[in-house]
Amino acid sequence: MSTNTHETTAAIGGRRLRFAWYVLLVALLAIGGYGGYLRLAEGLRATNLSSTVPWGAWVAFYIYFVGLSAGAFLVSTLSNVFEVDGMHEIEREALFVAIVSMIVALTFVLVDLGRMDRLWHPFAWRQPLSVLSWEVHAYALYIIVLSGELYFSMRRDLVARSEADDGLRGRIAGLLTLGRTETSEESLETDRTWLKRLGMVGIPLAIVFVHGGTGNLFAVAAARSYWFSALFPVIFITSAVVSGMALIALLYVLRARLGSRALDTDLLERMAALFVGFVVLDASLKVLEAFVGIYSLHPGHVESWLTIMTGEMWWSFWVVMVGLGWIAPLVLLHRRDWRRRPALVAAAGASVVLGVIGTRFNIVVPAQIEPALYGLPTGYYVPSTPEWLLSLGIVALGVLIYTIGTELLPLVPRGEIHD
Amino acid sequence: MSESEAADEPMPTIPGSSGDDSEDSEDFDDSYDEMVDVEATDPRVELEKTTYRTDLGIEMAEDARRVSRGELSSAAYWEKYDDDAATEFGDDYRETPNPAVDRDDGTIDEETAETLGCSVGSMASVAAALEASENAADAESKSDGDGDGDDPRWGMVIDLQKCVGCESCTVACKAENRTPPGVSYNVVLEREEGEYPNVSRTNVPRPCMQCEKPPCVQVCPVSATYKMDNGVVNIDYDRCIGCRYCMVACPYDARYFDFGENYDGEFDEGGEVTSPEYGTDRGPREDGESPVGNVRKCNFCHHRLERGEEPACVETCVGDARYMGDLEDTDSDVNELASSSRAFQLKEKEGTDPNVYYLK
């Protein structure tokens, strides 16, 4: 009767799992709430940030989630702009993940501000030479584009659901149609046209502004030679695509396993192959970048790389970034028949989703360790407990929004469900 | 001067006038008077050096003493000398406001003031008028100039040969700007080079460089930090959102984040200390208002520059190693020193063009 996967899996076991999942999320939110309380009560004193290392975990998570969003969005364009076969199945999921990731990213920005009450200032006062000023506007526009795309992609199913379902889902679906309830072929064609148009606006927006621009935030800071490289924004984009693809692949397998949605093995293989390709590209660019930096013998570069590879957080480079982010996916997916096995693709996805977190930390922190002038104190930073707790809570918030979204929204296209 | 003050303070005597007032504690007063007498100049000799009447000067001075002792009213004094002064000093007398007639806190009532020939109006208003006319003249004379009016371009020169590394600049800065823990607008970097016995030690004081091309200003998303016409890079605490991008962009690590810490337990009411920067009192820090949560940095003691004083670090420097002045004024010390062959800027290749110069 319904298109929703969860309703069709009304088995007792499924319900229990779902209940446990919500309990877990609420528990994580409560833990995060305590971190948030400490953040509000003590201000940024609750962090381990200092004037030497002013950017830490929250900035790393912010760029991580912006990257996830840009990556997930680019996966969605494979369907609606480039019309790759079979990708339509994951288009909405990818768009929704992109929106939720932006919400999470901007929440990290909010809690990181010294004066959270002035979050609106960048819209009131601008600075045309500031990359950050442009970024803030790009993020807002990007979220609008994503929401528009998701609307045009979902509208037909929203109309169908509002007609078929009298409950909460039906009413929400009715509201979200924004009153456009016509489902003639002509109106659906309009939807497709606008979806494609928005996708085409979104591609340069996501690549150049949202994620390339976020890389630019760092790359233009000439004072930090580790960041000051034109390859930096490019690497931001490739690792964004890698993390976004990893997450979408992981979610695709998970949702198929938990729901009754059938797994399209050809689609899985296609995703896995693209994914491996981008992991190789991303790793190659990073190696080139590191080579040029270290070869220069410029102290800013050399010190930063030494900090990354041999410093206190060496494991975040060797284990997380290289191990989980590069080696694990390449090992897990290097054979064609392995790329067709959902468990391996999901494992590779999960591994990279975690691995790119290491990449982001290794971007933000090491460049600030070496002092700008000889004689100034050397930086030291590992995130404080409140920083970890609040980070956990913000991520849990995102997962909760995503979970509720999968329950309420027709994120899986009708007609592609095989019971 | 009020009468009570006049009664309390021992006044330097004018020789030959009523300097021998018998009051109590004579010995004490006398010993001071003698000390003063040694240094005192003969008013007659001094006045004769001028083109004005010596006898009138002496007479006015003696009566002025009476006014300050309360034996004569200020109004009576000025009525008595109004004509003489007008004749003697002419336009200078008529155009210069007289502090006694100064509107708000003058010692003469308005009616009397109206009868006098000297100009009536506050010192400030007359000064402003004078300044305006000067500015107009200046603007005319350099209308084809670079358009920065008569704003100075504040610059600092630090002579590393004179710096002894005592850090009194750092301390003076903390005391002047009341910076909290973790915020120190000025630090002194130390560098030792060579091996015993050929060792040299250099101390490099580091305030904000007030760059001509400041990277911090470039990156601020809300224009909260900006370059002023006088060369100082300013921070608007009411606009800054605390994103700390400027700190990351600064090649000199000269910016500090105010985490809201206080010197609690180190002295009483540590949290009530306010930040007097930019001439604004922002209330007790305990309330968590700006500049808590903002980025802060040296502003060349802008509030002191505004009242014609040197920055605290310059004033306090025991070795006289720091110079402050207008880099655009070719007669200034800083202009001369900054163009000497010993002069250099920190990280010149960054292209930031600091307004702080060092002498090797």
Side-chain angles (χ1 to χ4, degrees), chain B residues 17-150:
Chain B
S17 79
S18 54
D20 50 353
D21 280 351
S22 56
E23 302 227 355
D24 41 41
S25 72
E26 282 153 86
D27 294 346
F28 189 71
D29 278 354
D30 284 353
S31 64
Y32 275 114
D33 289 352
E34 279 163 24
M35 286 166 69
V36 171
D37 287 347
V38 174
E39 295 293 319
T41 50
D42 184 346
R44 267 175 209 286
V45 176
E46 292 301 311
L47 284 170
E48 267 157 17
K49 290 179 192 164
T50 73
T51 57
Y52 302 112
R53 278 167 54 197
T54 305
D55 58 324
L56 178 65
I58 298 284
E59 211 179 321
M60 285 180 78
E62 281 169 3
D63 276 341
R65 283 286 164 78
R66 277 188 204 104
V67 172
S68 62
R69 285 197 299 269
E71 294 163 13
L72 185 68
S73 83
S74 184
Y77 175 88
W78 283 106
E79 275 168 6
K80 180 176 173 188
Y81 289 110
D82 189 42
D83 288 342
D84 282 342
T87 320
E88 187 65 21
F89 303 112
D91 284 347
D92 285 345
Y93 175 71
R94 282 186 289 276
E95 284 167 14
T96 309
N98 182 327
V101 194
D102 201 329
R103 274 227 177 90
D104 295 324
D105 38 39
T107 50
I108 302 182
D109 57 80
E110 271 188 51
E111 265 174 65
T112 315
E114 292 299 321
T115 67
L116 299 180
C118 56
S119 140
V120 178
S122 72
M123 294 286 266
S125 70
V126 176
L130 280 173
E131 201 177 317
S133 63
E134 273 170 24
N135 283 352
D138 276 359
E140 237 167 83
S141 67
K142 54 165 128 172
S143 56
D144 55 347
D146 46 8
D148 54 4
D150 61 349

Side-chain angles (χ1 to χ4, degrees), chain B residues 194-328:
Chain B
E195 276 173 44
Y196 177 82
N198 299 316
V199 184
S200 74
R201 175 157 164 170
T202 316
N203 303 295
V204 182
R206 196 246 35 217
C208 170
M209 301 291 133
Q210 319 291 354
C211 305
E212 274 303 287
K213 292 175 187 139
C216 52
V217 167
Q218 216 178 348
V219 300
C220 177
V222 293
S223 303
T225 189
Y226 52 90
K227 182 114 182 118
M228 294 195 287
D229 291 340
N230 62 12
V232 175
V233 174
N234 208 336
I235 300 175
D236 184 344
Y237 288 151
D238 294 320
R239 191 181 286 184
C240 169
I241 60 175
C243 71
R244 312 187 289 290
Y245 198 0
C246 52
M247 299 175 67
V248 165
C250 174
Y252 306 97
D253 279 356
R255 287 176 166 253
Y256 294 83
F257 187 73
D258 190 335
F259 284 89
E261 284 167 8
N262 294 307
Y263 287 107
D264 288 329
E266 298 195 27
F267 58 91
D268 288 342
E269 285 120 29
E272 286 175 25
V273 168
T274 61
S275 153
E277 291 167 282
Y278 307 111
T280 308
D281 190 325
R282 293 176 170 272
R285 287 177 53 78
E286 283 163 339
D287 298 346
E289 296 296 319
S290 282
V292 174
N294 290 140
V295 174
R296 303 176 60 173
K297 69 166 194 73
C298 157
N299 50 51
F300 273 177
C301 280
H302 199 257
H303 56 287
R304 291 176 60 99
L305 291 176
E306 287 293 285
R307 40 176 211 248
E309 294 172 349
E310 292 180 319
C313 57
V314 177
E315 190 168 272
T316 204
C317 181
V318 295
D320 221 358
R322 290 184 183 237
Y323 301 82
M324 185 76 193
D326 181 1
L327 283 170
E328 277 170 4

